[in-house]
Amino acid sequence: METCKYPCASSPRTIDITDHYKIHKHIPYEKMRQRITFFHKNENGVEPRALRIAGRSLSGPDIVAEREDRITLALEELPIELQHVLRQSQELYIRWQKPSPYTTIGPWSSKIPPGLHVFYTPGNSEKPDGGRLCRVFRTAFGPIDCSSTSGSFTKLPNDRFSHSTAYQFYHILNDLSHFSSYIEQYVCVSGNSECKARAQRLLDANSVDFSYDAISHVVKVTALWPHERQPLYVESHPDHRAEVGIMTPDTPPHLDPHEVGVTGLLTVLGEDSKPSPTLFSFPSRHKTAPRSRFSSSFLRPWGLHPTMQLQISSSKPPMEGASCSMHTYLTLPRTIFADKYQLGDELFLSSKNLSSLRYISQPVDLEAPSYAMNIWGSSVLLELQPPDAKENQPWTAEIPLHLRYLAPAEKGYRNVSIPWPVVFWACAAEDGMKFSNNPFDRVNLGYDGLFGPRTMFWHVDPKPSEGENLYHEIQVPVLDLGLSNRISSGTATIVMMGLAFVVWKLVSVCLGMGNNHNGHGSPKPARRKSKRF
């Protein structure tokens, strides 16, 4: 077995994963726990008598439902390098959203722009992590443009609400193929086919979350799959605790507007001999805005100062009698940015159906070209200005953006990907309302840390055109490398010709002066003219 000083350059871990589990076999720590939830419509339910519980397994007929897997791990169950990073971290939240639109019937209404989002607080806030965190990201997710926390991450404000992390990072990531292979190779014990099969299933997930904080000292990995036909079979390891829920929406008596009600069957594998019926409700900070959709596009011609247009189907707030305002949250790669000075003009904002710029990450260099920057990009929170809610009509908002100068390319064009923003209503909840007891809560999404803890988010679902995903593709003119080479050669030729001409003229002048001094005689003196009176 190869050994090397940590961090090992040739391998993302320093010991084999099988040896790792042998070392920790007799060390007491909290074993893995998993919660699997199937959420279906009322008409797609499963009869309790159709379920079969045998030992630590549950099986039944296929079910049309959403599926969420939440796995809770102790640090000792993770790869060594990841353990080192987490032990030096106060918070680390990784959020991935697939670029395809989807709707949900369960309590998973929260939305983020597609791609990989990282929110991080180091253990020592005055001495952030160097390049170790980025190395772990590159090992787990593939080629990611991340050098160090101080160089590639942006700082988040820590003077507003205590639940904000210190740093943010974003990368366009279309799928989790590299991450799936990473789990198979470095997390799954050799011969564990069930672990590898679950890693492969991540390729079909709508979203995947990784959450760690130093207070709980555990890692939670959550994956959500779309509403489709699912095999109803779950098997648990004897050392792990597994809870399986088959749920459907319900409306218990006295359900408040901010709450979600569910009913269904719960089973703890290895403990229950039959499913237990349940009915409960919980407050939810994220909900879907009813009868509301939005689309995003760039007005043509694009130019170097494109305008993003949001077309929103409704101007009616989701809650009557509550203080609600509509916002959009943009995650902009370094190739494009918003000018905070331009967005500070109230008259200009009003003409675009914008109300105010609520937040923009810092720093944002307005002049630097893209290839001269290390930072990932910027995030922007804008409050929109919908028309009168009584009319409840479709409307548009326009967001001016600016492209940076990009590196030269063949044929003189580069393609730039820009993720769709998220659009939501932010409404103030009642006094004393707490969302901490939501078993499906999703926090640290980037924008939620910019609002108070009693804010409810009503999300407007995106609706792209047929066959499109949630990335804008813009073709940006740049310096053509082919023409550049010819221009460089022509320029060099002209410069050399000009230099040769100057040298030739200087030589000609010098030769002419030499002939005048060393030739046949000297110039005749001028005759003096006599004055006549």
Side-chain angles (χ1 to χ4, degrees), residues 11-42:
S11 175
R13 65 167 185 268
T14 55
I15 61 175
D16 185 79
I17 192 67
T18 305
D19 296 337
H20 165 70
Y21 278 102
K22 289 179 181 179
I23 292 173
H24 291 86
K25 183 176 180 180
H26 302 292
I27 299 178
Y29 59 85
E30 187 177 6
K31 294 289 187 177
M32 184 183 84
R33 291 178 286 125
Q34 57 179 326
R35 187 193 71 196
I36 300 172
T37 305
F38 296 91
F39 210 91
H40 60 85
K41 296 180 180 180
N42 290 325

PDB file of all heavy atoms in Angstrom, residues 11-42:
ATOM      1  N   SER A  11      -3.168  10.435  -4.460  1.00  0.00           N
ATOM      2  CA  SER A  11      -4.442   9.839  -4.076  1.00  0.00           C
ATOM      3  C   SER A  11      -5.189  10.792  -3.168  1.00  0.00           C
ATOM      4  O   SER A  11      -4.591  11.454  -2.335  1.00  0.00           O
ATOM      5  CB  SER A  11      -4.208   8.511  -3.353  1.00  0.00           C
ATOM      6  OG  SER A  11      -5.447   8.006  -2.876  1.00  0.00           O
ATOM      7  N   PRO A  12      -6.519  10.882  -3.319  1.00  0.00           N
ATOM      8  CA  PRO A  12      -7.294  11.777  -2.467  1.00  0.00           C
ATOM      9  C   PRO A  12      -7.466  11.264  -1.050  1.00  0.00           C
ATOM     10  O   PRO A  12      -8.085  11.893  -0.241  1.00  0.00           O
ATOM     11  CB  PRO A  12      -8.644  11.857  -3.188  1.00  0.00           C
ATOM     12  CG  PRO A  12      -8.725  10.599  -3.959  1.00  0.00           C
ATOM     13  CD  PRO A  12      -7.329  10.262  -4.363  1.00  0.00           C
ATOM     14  N   ARG A  13      -6.957  10.089  -0.719  1.00  0.00           N
ATOM     15  CA  ARG A  13      -6.952   9.647   0.667  1.00  0.00           C
ATOM     16  C   ARG A  13      -5.610   8.966   0.936  1.00  0.00           C
ATOM     17  O   ARG A  13      -4.919   8.504   0.025  1.00  0.00           O
ATOM     18  CB  ARG A  13      -8.102   8.688   0.953  1.00  0.00           C
ATOM     19  CG  ARG A  13      -8.003   7.378   0.201  1.00  0.00           C
ATOM     20  CD  ARG A  13      -8.993   6.358   0.754  1.00  0.00           C
ATOM     21  NE  ARG A  13      -8.796   5.088   0.101  1.00  0.00           N
ATOM     22  CZ  ARG A  13      -9.440   4.700  -0.970  1.00  0.00           C
ATOM     23  NH1 ARG A  13     -10.300   5.511  -1.515  1.00  0.00           N
ATOM     24  NH2 ARG A  13      -9.205   3.529  -1.521  1.00  0.00           N
ATOM     25  N   THR A  14      -5.221   8.876   2.189  1.00  0.00           N
ATOM     26  CA  THR A  14      -3.893   8.364   2.508  1.00  0.00           C
ATOM     27  C   THR A  14      -3.900   6.882   2.862  1.00  0.00           C
ATOM     28  O   THR A  14      -2.858   6.255   2.896  1.00  0.00           O
ATOM     29  CB  THR A  14      -3.311   9.146   3.688  1.00  0.00           C
ATOM     30  OG1 THR A  14      -4.231   9.080   4.781  1.00  0.00           O
ATOM     31  CG2 THR A  14      -3.095  10.592   3.316  1.00  0.00           C
ATOM     32  N   ILE A  15      -5.080   6.305   3.154  1.00  0.00           N
ATOM     33  CA  ILE A  15      -5.154   4.879   3.430  1.00  0.00           C
ATOM     34  C   ILE A  15      -6.340   4.302   2.684  1.00  0.00           C
ATOM     35  O   ILE A  15      -7.245   5.022   2.285  1.00  0.00           O
ATOM     36  CB  ILE A  15      -5.287   4.573   4.940  1.00  0.00           C
ATOM     37  CG1 ILE A  15      -6.586   5.199   5.492  1.00  0.00           C
ATOM     38  CG2 ILE A  15      -4.094   5.082   5.711  1.00  0.00           C
ATOM     39  CD1 ILE A  15      -6.838   4.834   6.941  1.00  0.00           C
ATOM     40  N   ASP A  16      -6.323   2.982   2.489  1.00  0.00           N
ATOM     41  CA  ASP A  16      -7.423   2.322   1.807  1.00  0.00           C
ATOM     42  C   ASP A  16      -8.679   2.390   2.662  1.00  0.00           C
ATOM     43  O   ASP A  16      -8.624   2.309   3.885  1.00  0.00           O
ATOM     44  CB  ASP A  16      -7.048   0.866   1.524  1.00  0.00           C
ATOM     45  CG  ASP A  16      -8.113   0.170   0.702  1.00  0.00           C
ATOM     46  OD1 ASP A  16      -8.143   0.378  -0.522  1.00  0.00           O
ATOM     47  OD2 ASP A  16      -8.904  -0.562   1.308  1.00  0.00           O
ATOM     48  N   ILE A  17      -9.848   2.497   2.002  1.00  0.00           N
ATOM     49  CA  ILE A  17     -11.090   2.672   2.751  1.00  0.00           C
ATOM     50  C   ILE A  17     -11.409   1.433   3.587  1.00  0.00           C
ATOM     51  O   ILE A  17     -11.965   1.520   4.685  1.00  0.00           O
ATOM     52  CB  ILE A  17     -12.255   2.990   1.776  1.00  0.00           C
ATOM     53  CG1 ILE A  17     -13.486   3.461   2.567  1.00  0.00           C
ATOM     54  CG2 ILE A  17     -12.599   1.798   0.920  1.00  0.00           C
ATOM     55  CD1 ILE A  17     -13.307   4.764   3.249  1.00  0.00           C
ATOM     56  N   THR A  18     -11.010   0.248   3.119  1.00  0.00           N
ATOM     57  CA  THR A  18     -11.239  -0.963   3.910  1.00  0.00           C
ATOM     58  C   THR A  18     -10.407  -0.936   5.185  1.00  0.00           C
ATOM     59  O   THR A  18     -10.887  -1.263   6.274  1.00  0.00           O
ATOM     60  CB  THR A  18     -10.906  -2.209   3.066  1.00  0.00           C
ATOM     61  OG1 THR A  18     -11.659  -2.161   1.849  1.00  0.00           O
ATOM     62  CG2 THR A  18     -11.233  -3.483   3.828  1.00  0.00           C
ATOM     63  N   ASP A  19      -9.137  -0.528   5.053  1.00  0.00           N
ATOM     64  CA  ASP A  19      -8.296  -0.394   6.249  1.00  0.00           C
ATOM     65  C   ASP A  19      -8.835   0.676   7.172  1.00  0.00           C
ATOM     66  O   ASP A  19      -8.742   0.561   8.395  1.00  0.00           O
ATOM     67  CB  ASP A  19      -6.862  -0.043   5.835  1.00  0.00           C
ATOM     68  CG  ASP A  19      -6.218  -1.148   5.028  1.00  0.00           C
ATOM     69  OD1 ASP A  19      -6.668  -2.306   5.158  1.00  0.00           O
ATOM     70  OD2 ASP A  19      -5.285  -0.856   4.273  1.00  0.00           O
ATOM     71  N   HIS A  20      -9.399   1.730   6.581  1.00  0.00           N
ATOM     72  CA  HIS A  20      -9.971   2.813   7.383  1.00  0.00           C
ATOM     73  C   HIS A  20     -11.093   2.285   8.274  1.00  0.00           C
ATOM     74  O   HIS A  20     -11.166   2.614   9.469  1.00  0.00           O
ATOM     75  CB  HIS A  20     -10.494   3.906   6.453  1.00  0.00           C
ATOM     76  CG  HIS A  20     -11.413   4.887   7.099  1.00  0.00           C
ATOM     77  ND1 HIS A  20     -10.995   5.799   8.021  1.00  0.00           N
ATOM     78  CD2 HIS A  20     -12.747   5.067   6.950  1.00  0.00           C
ATOM     79  CE1 HIS A  20     -12.025   6.535   8.426  1.00  0.00           C
ATOM     80  NE2 HIS A  20     -13.104   6.101   7.782  1.00  0.00           N
ATOM     81  N   TYR A  21     -11.969   1.444   7.733  1.00  0.00           N
ATOM     82  CA  TYR A  21     -13.063   0.900   8.539  1.00  0.00           C
ATOM     83  C   TYR A  21     -12.538  -0.097   9.577  1.00  0.00           C
ATOM     84  O   TYR A  21     -13.094  -0.216  10.664  1.00  0.00           O
ATOM     85  CB  TYR A  21     -14.106   0.241   7.648  1.00  0.00           C
ATOM     86  CG  TYR A  21     -15.069   1.216   7.054  1.00  0.00           C
ATOM     87  CD1 TYR A  21     -14.951   1.625   5.726  1.00  0.00           C
ATOM     88  CD2 TYR A  21     -16.089   1.780   7.817  1.00  0.00           C
ATOM     89  CE1 TYR A  21     -15.824   2.545   5.186  1.00  0.00           C
ATOM     90  CE2 TYR A  21     -16.971   2.701   7.277  1.00  0.00           C
ATOM     91  CZ  TYR A  21     -16.832   3.080   5.960  1.00  0.00           C
ATOM     92  OH  TYR A  21     -17.701   3.998   5.419  1.00  0.00           O
ATOM     93  N   LYS A  22     -11.454  -0.813   9.247  1.00  0.00           N
ATOM     94  CA  LYS A  22     -10.880  -1.716  10.236  1.00  0.00           C
ATOM     95  C   LYS A  22     -10.305  -0.954  11.416  1.00  0.00           C
ATOM     96  O   LYS A  22     -10.432  -1.364  12.571  1.00  0.00           O
ATOM     97  CB  LYS A  22      -9.783  -2.558   9.568  1.00  0.00           C
ATOM     98  CG  LYS A  22     -10.300  -3.598   8.584  1.00  0.00           C
ATOM     99  CD  LYS A  22      -9.142  -4.366   7.968  1.00  0.00           C
ATOM    100  CE  LYS A  22      -9.655  -5.399   6.955  1.00  0.00           C
ATOM    101  NZ  LYS A  22      -8.537  -6.124   6.327  1.00  0.00           N
ATOM    102  N   ILE A  23      -9.658   0.183  11.132  1.00  0.00           N
ATOM    103  CA  ILE A  23      -9.058   0.979  12.193  1.00  0.00           C
ATOM    104  C   ILE A  23     -10.123   1.481  13.154  1.00  0.00           C
ATOM    105  O   ILE A  23      -9.939   1.501  14.378  1.00  0.00           O
ATOM    106  CB  ILE A  23      -8.261   2.148  11.584  1.00  0.00           C
ATOM    107  CG1 ILE A  23      -7.030   1.616  10.848  1.00  0.00           C
ATOM    108  CG2 ILE A  23      -7.852   3.150  12.656  1.00  0.00           C
ATOM    109  CD1 ILE A  23      -6.278   2.677  10.083  1.00  0.00           C
ATOM    110  N   HIS A  24     -11.296   1.915  12.604  1.00  0.00           N
ATOM    111  CA  HIS A  24     -12.343   2.504  13.427  1.00  0.00           C
ATOM    112  C   HIS A  24     -13.391   1.491  13.877  1.00  0.00           C
ATOM    113  O   HIS A  24     -14.449   1.876  14.365  1.00  0.00           O
ATOM    114  CB  HIS A  24     -13.019   3.641  12.647  1.00  0.00           C
ATOM    115  CG  HIS A  24     -12.136   4.825  12.448  1.00  0.00           C
ATOM    116  ND1 HIS A  24     -11.271   4.915  11.397  1.00  0.00           N
ATOM    117  CD2 HIS A  24     -11.974   5.956  13.190  1.00  0.00           C
ATOM    118  CE1 HIS A  24     -10.615   6.063  11.465  1.00  0.00           C
ATOM    119  NE2 HIS A  24     -11.010   6.707  12.542  1.00  0.00           N
ATOM    120  N   LYS A  25     -13.074   0.206  13.723  1.00  0.00           N
ATOM    121  CA  LYS A  25     -14.080  -0.803  14.046  1.00  0.00           C
ATOM    122  C   LYS A  25     -14.451  -0.770  15.520  1.00  0.00           C
ATOM    123  O   LYS A  25     -15.611  -0.963  15.895  1.00  0.00           O
ATOM    124  CB  LYS A  25     -13.543  -2.185  13.643  1.00  0.00           C
ATOM    125  CG  LYS A  25     -14.537  -3.311  13.877  1.00  0.00           C
ATOM    126  CD  LYS A  25     -13.974  -4.626  13.378  1.00  0.00           C
ATOM    127  CE  LYS A  25     -14.953  -5.764  13.592  1.00  0.00           C
ATOM    128  NZ  LYS A  25     -14.405  -7.059  13.107  1.00  0.00           N
ATOM    129  N   HIS A  26     -13.460  -0.542  16.381  1.00  0.00           N
ATOM    130  CA  HIS A  26     -13.698  -0.603  17.817  1.00  0.00           C
ATOM    131  C   HIS A  26     -13.749   0.788  18.449  1.00  0.00           C
ATOM    132  O   HIS A  26     -13.724   0.895  19.664  1.00  0.00           O
ATOM    133  CB  HIS A  26     -12.604  -1.431  18.485  1.00  0.00           C
ATOM    134  CG  HIS A  26     -12.499  -2.827  17.944  1.00  0.00           C
ATOM    135  ND1 HIS A  26     -13.482  -3.776  18.147  1.00  0.00           N
ATOM    136  CD2 HIS A  26     -11.544  -3.421  17.176  1.00  0.00           C
ATOM    137  CE1 HIS A  26     -13.123  -4.910  17.545  1.00  0.00           C
ATOM    138  NE2 HIS A  26     -11.960  -4.718  16.941  1.00  0.00           N
ATOM    139  N   ILE A  27     -13.825   1.836  17.632  1.00  0.00           N
ATOM    140  CA  ILE A  27     -13.933   3.189  18.165  1.00  0.00           C
ATOM    141  C   ILE A  27     -15.410   3.537  18.260  1.00  0.00           C
ATOM    142  O   ILE A  27     -16.125   3.494  17.255  1.00  0.00           O
ATOM    143  CB  ILE A  27     -13.198   4.195  17.258  1.00  0.00           C
ATOM    144  CG1 ILE A  27     -11.718   3.846  17.187  1.00  0.00           C
ATOM    145  CG2 ILE A  27     -13.398   5.614  17.765  1.00  0.00           C
ATOM    146  CD1 ILE A  27     -10.919   4.756  16.277  1.00  0.00           C
ATOM    147  N   PRO A  28     -15.907   3.893  19.440  1.00  0.00           N
ATOM    148  CA  PRO A  28     -17.339   4.186  19.560  1.00  0.00           C
ATOM    149  C   PRO A  28     -17.680   5.530  18.938  1.00  0.00           C
ATOM    150  O   PRO A  28     -17.083   6.554  19.260  1.00  0.00           O
ATOM    151  CB  PRO A  28     -17.560   4.209  21.081  1.00  0.00           C
ATOM    152  CG  PRO A  28     -16.227   4.573  21.662  1.00  0.00           C
ATOM    153  CD  PRO A  28     -15.201   3.987  20.735  1.00  0.00           C
ATOM    154  N   TYR A  29     -18.620   5.548  18.021  1.00  0.00           N
ATOM    155  CA  TYR A  29     -19.166   6.772  17.460  1.00  0.00           C
ATOM    156  C   TYR A  29     -20.552   6.455  16.930  1.00  0.00           C
ATOM    157  O   TYR A  29     -20.937   5.303  16.760  1.00  0.00           O
ATOM    158  CB  TYR A  29     -18.282   7.362  16.351  1.00  0.00           C
ATOM    159  CG  TYR A  29     -18.036   6.455  15.173  1.00  0.00           C
ATOM    160  CD1 TYR A  29     -18.945   6.391  14.123  1.00  0.00           C
ATOM    161  CD2 TYR A  29     -16.891   5.668  15.106  1.00  0.00           C
ATOM    162  CE1 TYR A  29     -18.722   5.563  13.035  1.00  0.00           C
ATOM    163  CE2 TYR A  29     -16.674   4.834  14.032  1.00  0.00           C
ATOM    164  CZ  TYR A  29     -17.580   4.786  13.008  1.00  0.00           C
ATOM    165  OH  TYR A  29     -17.358   3.967  11.944  1.00  0.00           O
ATOM    166  N   GLU A  30     -21.308   7.497  16.688  1.00  0.00           N
ATOM    167  CA  GLU A  30     -22.687   7.301  16.244  1.00  0.00           C
ATOM    168  C   GLU A  30     -22.711   6.736  14.833  1.00  0.00           C
ATOM    169  O   GLU A  30     -22.134   7.298  13.904  1.00  0.00           O
ATOM    170  CB  GLU A  30     -23.434   8.636  16.286  1.00  0.00           C
ATOM    171  CG  GLU A  30     -24.904   8.498  16.004  1.00  0.00           C
ATOM    172  CD  GLU A  30     -25.619   9.823  16.119  1.00  0.00           C
ATOM    173  OE1 GLU A  30     -24.946  10.848  16.296  1.00  0.00           O
ATOM    174  OE2 GLU A  30     -26.858   9.827  16.035  1.00  0.00           O
ATOM    175  N   LYS A  31     -23.370   5.577  14.678  1.00  0.00           N
ATOM    176  CA  LYS A  31     -23.419   4.927  13.384  1.00  0.00           C
ATOM    177  C   LYS A  31     -24.330   5.684  12.424  1.00  0.00           C
ATOM    178  O   LYS A  31     -25.114   6.536  12.806  1.00  0.00           O
ATOM    179  CB  LYS A  31     -23.930   3.495  13.542  1.00  0.00           C
ATOM    180  CG  LYS A  31     -22.992   2.591  14.331  1.00  0.00           C
ATOM    181  CD  LYS A  31     -21.745   2.267  13.556  1.00  0.00           C
ATOM    182  CE  LYS A  31     -20.899   1.238  14.290  1.00  0.00           C
ATOM    183  NZ  LYS A  31     -19.705   0.836  13.529  1.00  0.00           N
ATOM    184  N   MET A  32     -24.224   5.315  11.155  1.00  0.00           N
ATOM    185  CA  MET A  32     -25.000   5.966  10.117  1.00  0.00           C
ATOM    186  C   MET A  32     -26.495   5.780  10.348  1.00  0.00           C
ATOM    187  O   MET A  32     -26.949   4.700  10.722  1.00  0.00           O
ATOM    188  CB  MET A  32     -24.609   5.408   8.747  1.00  0.00           C
ATOM    189  CG  MET A  32     -25.279   6.088   7.579  1.00  0.00           C
ATOM    190  SD  MET A  32     -24.859   5.355   5.997  1.00  0.00           S
ATOM    191  CE  MET A  32     -26.033   4.022   5.927  1.00  0.00           C
ATOM    192  N   ARG A  33     -27.239   6.862  10.106  1.00  0.00           N
ATOM    193  CA  ARG A  33     -28.691   6.809  10.161  1.00  0.00           C
ATOM    194  C   ARG A  33     -29.223   7.282   8.813  1.00  0.00           C
ATOM    195  O   ARG A  33     -28.659   8.205   8.206  1.00  0.00           O
ATOM    196  CB  ARG A  33     -29.222   7.703  11.283  1.00  0.00           C
ATOM    197  CG  ARG A  33     -28.889   7.194  12.678  1.00  0.00           C
ATOM    198  CD  ARG A  33     -29.384   8.143  13.759  1.00  0.00           C
ATOM    199  NE  ARG A  33     -28.561   9.329  13.833  1.00  0.00           N
ATOM    200  CZ  ARG A  33     -29.024  10.570  13.729  1.00  0.00           C
ATOM    201  NH1 ARG A  33     -30.312  10.790  13.514  1.00  0.00           N
ATOM    202  NH2 ARG A  33     -28.206  11.604  13.842  1.00  0.00           N
ATOM    203  N   GLN A  34     -30.296   6.675   8.369  1.00  0.00           N
ATOM    204  CA  GLN A  34     -30.881   7.100   7.106  1.00  0.00           C
ATOM    205  C   GLN A  34     -32.398   7.179   7.226  1.00  0.00           C
ATOM    206  O   GLN A  34     -33.028   6.412   7.949  1.00  0.00           O
ATOM    207  CB  GLN A  34     -30.486   6.169   5.966  1.00  0.00           C
ATOM    208  CG  GLN A  34     -30.833   4.713   6.164  1.00  0.00           C
ATOM    209  CD  GLN A  34     -30.435   3.856   4.975  1.00  0.00           C
ATOM    210  OE1 GLN A  34     -30.480   4.307   3.832  1.00  0.00           O
ATOM    211  NE2 GLN A  34     -30.040   2.615   5.235  1.00  0.00           N
ATOM    212  N   ARG A  35     -32.938   8.178   6.525  1.00  0.00           N
ATOM    213  CA  ARG A  35     -34.379   8.378   6.462  1.00  0.00           C
ATOM    214  C   ARG A  35     -34.776   8.447   5.001  1.00  0.00           C
ATOM    215  O   ARG A  35     -34.273   9.280   4.243  1.00  0.00           O
ATOM    216  CB  ARG A  35     -34.762   9.687   7.166  1.00  0.00           C
ATOM    217  CG  ARG A  35     -36.268   9.908   7.294  1.00  0.00           C
ATOM    218  CD  ARG A  35     -36.562  11.331   7.711  1.00  0.00           C
ATOM    219  NE  ARG A  35     -36.297  12.271   6.627  1.00  0.00           N
ATOM    220  CZ  ARG A  35     -36.176  13.588   6.785  1.00  0.00           C
ATOM    221  NH1 ARG A  35     -36.255  14.121   7.988  1.00  0.00           N
ATOM    222  NH2 ARG A  35     -35.940  14.378   5.759  1.00  0.00           N
ATOM    223  N   ILE A  36     -35.661   7.559   4.599  1.00  0.00           N
ATOM    224  CA  ILE A  36     -36.098   7.480   3.206  1.00  0.00           C
ATOM    225  C   ILE A  36     -37.587   7.810   3.169  1.00  0.00           C
ATOM    226  O   ILE A  36     -38.390   7.196   3.876  1.00  0.00           O
ATOM    227  CB  ILE A  36     -35.829   6.082   2.621  1.00  0.00           C
ATOM    228  CG1 ILE A  36     -34.328   5.775   2.692  1.00  0.00           C
ATOM    229  CG2 ILE A  36     -36.331   5.983   1.196  1.00  0.00           C
ATOM    230  CD1 ILE A  36     -33.977   4.358   2.316  1.00  0.00           C
ATOM    231  N   THR A  37     -37.939   8.789   2.340  1.00  0.00           N
ATOM    232  CA  THR A  37     -39.322   9.261   2.274  1.00  0.00           C
ATOM    233  C   THR A  37     -39.827   9.164   0.845  1.00  0.00           C
ATOM    234  O   THR A  37     -39.207   9.705  -0.081  1.00  0.00           O
ATOM    235  CB  THR A  37     -39.435  10.709   2.761  1.00  0.00           C
ATOM    236  OG1 THR A  37     -38.872  10.818   4.076  1.00  0.00           O
ATOM    237  CG2 THR A  37     -40.883  11.159   2.795  1.00  0.00           C
ATOM    238  N   PHE A  38     -40.928   8.476   0.657  1.00  0.00           N
ATOM    239  CA  PHE A  38     -41.659   8.461  -0.607  1.00  0.00           C
ATOM    240  C   PHE A  38     -42.871   9.379  -0.433  1.00  0.00           C
ATOM    241  O   PHE A  38     -43.665   9.182   0.493  1.00  0.00           O
ATOM    242  CB  PHE A  38     -42.111   7.053  -0.969  1.00  0.00           C
ATOM    243  CG  PHE A  38     -40.996   6.088  -1.215  1.00  0.00           C
ATOM    244  CD1 PHE A  38     -40.485   5.311  -0.175  1.00  0.00           C
ATOM    245  CD2 PHE A  38     -40.434   5.944  -2.473  1.00  0.00           C
ATOM    246  CE1 PHE A  38     -39.452   4.429  -0.388  1.00  0.00           C
ATOM    247  CE2 PHE A  38     -39.399   5.052  -2.703  1.00  0.00           C
ATOM    248  CZ  PHE A  38     -38.904   4.292  -1.651  1.00  0.00           C
ATOM    249  N   PHE A  39     -43.016  10.341  -1.337  1.00  0.00           N
ATOM    250  CA  PHE A  39     -44.130  11.298  -1.235  1.00  0.00           C
ATOM    251  C   PHE A  39     -44.954  11.205  -2.521  1.00  0.00           C
ATOM    252  O   PHE A  39     -44.449  11.491  -3.609  1.00  0.00           O
ATOM    253  CB  PHE A  39     -43.597  12.720  -1.043  1.00  0.00           C
ATOM    254  CG  PHE A  39     -44.521  13.602  -0.261  1.00  0.00           C
ATOM    255  CD1 PHE A  39     -44.409  13.697   1.113  1.00  0.00           C
ATOM    256  CD2 PHE A  39     -45.513  14.324  -0.894  1.00  0.00           C
ATOM    257  CE1 PHE A  39     -45.260  14.509   1.849  1.00  0.00           C
ATOM    258  CE2 PHE A  39     -46.378  15.134  -0.185  1.00  0.00           C
ATOM    259  CZ  PHE A  39     -46.253  15.234   1.199  1.00  0.00           C
ATOM    260  N   HIS A  40     -46.213  10.801  -2.391  1.00  0.00           N
ATOM    261  CA  HIS A  40     -47.038  10.525  -3.565  1.00  0.00           C
ATOM    262  C   HIS A  40     -48.337  11.317  -3.495  1.00  0.00           C
ATOM    263  O   HIS A  40     -48.726  11.842  -2.439  1.00  0.00           O
ATOM    264  CB  HIS A  40     -47.345   9.023  -3.645  1.00  0.00           C
ATOM    265  CG  HIS A  40     -48.090   8.499  -2.446  1.00  0.00           C
ATOM    266  ND1 HIS A  40     -49.461   8.562  -2.319  1.00  0.00           N
ATOM    267  CD2 HIS A  40     -47.640   7.897  -1.311  1.00  0.00           C
ATOM    268  CE1 HIS A  40     -49.839   8.043  -1.168  1.00  0.00           C
ATOM    269  NE2 HIS A  40     -48.751   7.622  -0.536  1.00  0.00           N
ATOM    270  N   LYS A  41     -49.024  11.365  -4.623  1.00  0.00           N
ATOM    271  CA  LYS A  41     -50.362  11.948  -4.655  1.00  0.00           C
ATOM    272  C   LYS A  41     -51.350  10.956  -4.028  1.00  0.00           C
ATOM    273  O   LYS A  41     -51.071   9.767  -3.929  1.00  0.00           O
ATOM    274  CB  LYS A  41     -50.764  12.269  -6.097  1.00  0.00           C
ATOM    275  CG  LYS A  41     -49.908  13.330  -6.762  1.00  0.00           C
ATOM    276  CD  LYS A  41     -50.374  13.599  -8.189  1.00  0.00           C
ATOM    277  CE  LYS A  41     -49.528  14.662  -8.861  1.00  0.00           C
ATOM    278  NZ  LYS A  41     -49.963  14.939 -10.264  1.00  0.00           N
ATOM    279  N   ASN A  42     -52.505  11.493  -3.649  1.00  0.00           N
ATOM    280  CA  ASN A  42     -53.484  10.641  -2.966  1.00  0.00           C
ATOM    281  C   ASN A  42     -53.908   9.447  -3.820  1.00  0.00           C
ATOM    282  O   ASN A  42     -54.125   8.344  -3.306  1.00  0.00           O
ATOM    283  CB  ASN A  42     -54.718  11.473  -2.592  1.00  0.00           C
ATOM    284  CG  ASN A  42     -54.415  12.466  -1.487  1.00  0.00           C
ATOM    285  OD1 ASN A  42     -53.626  12.175  -0.602  1.00  0.00           O
ATOM    286  ND2 ASN A  42     -55.049  13.626  -1.523  1.00  0.00           N
TER     287      ASN A  42
END
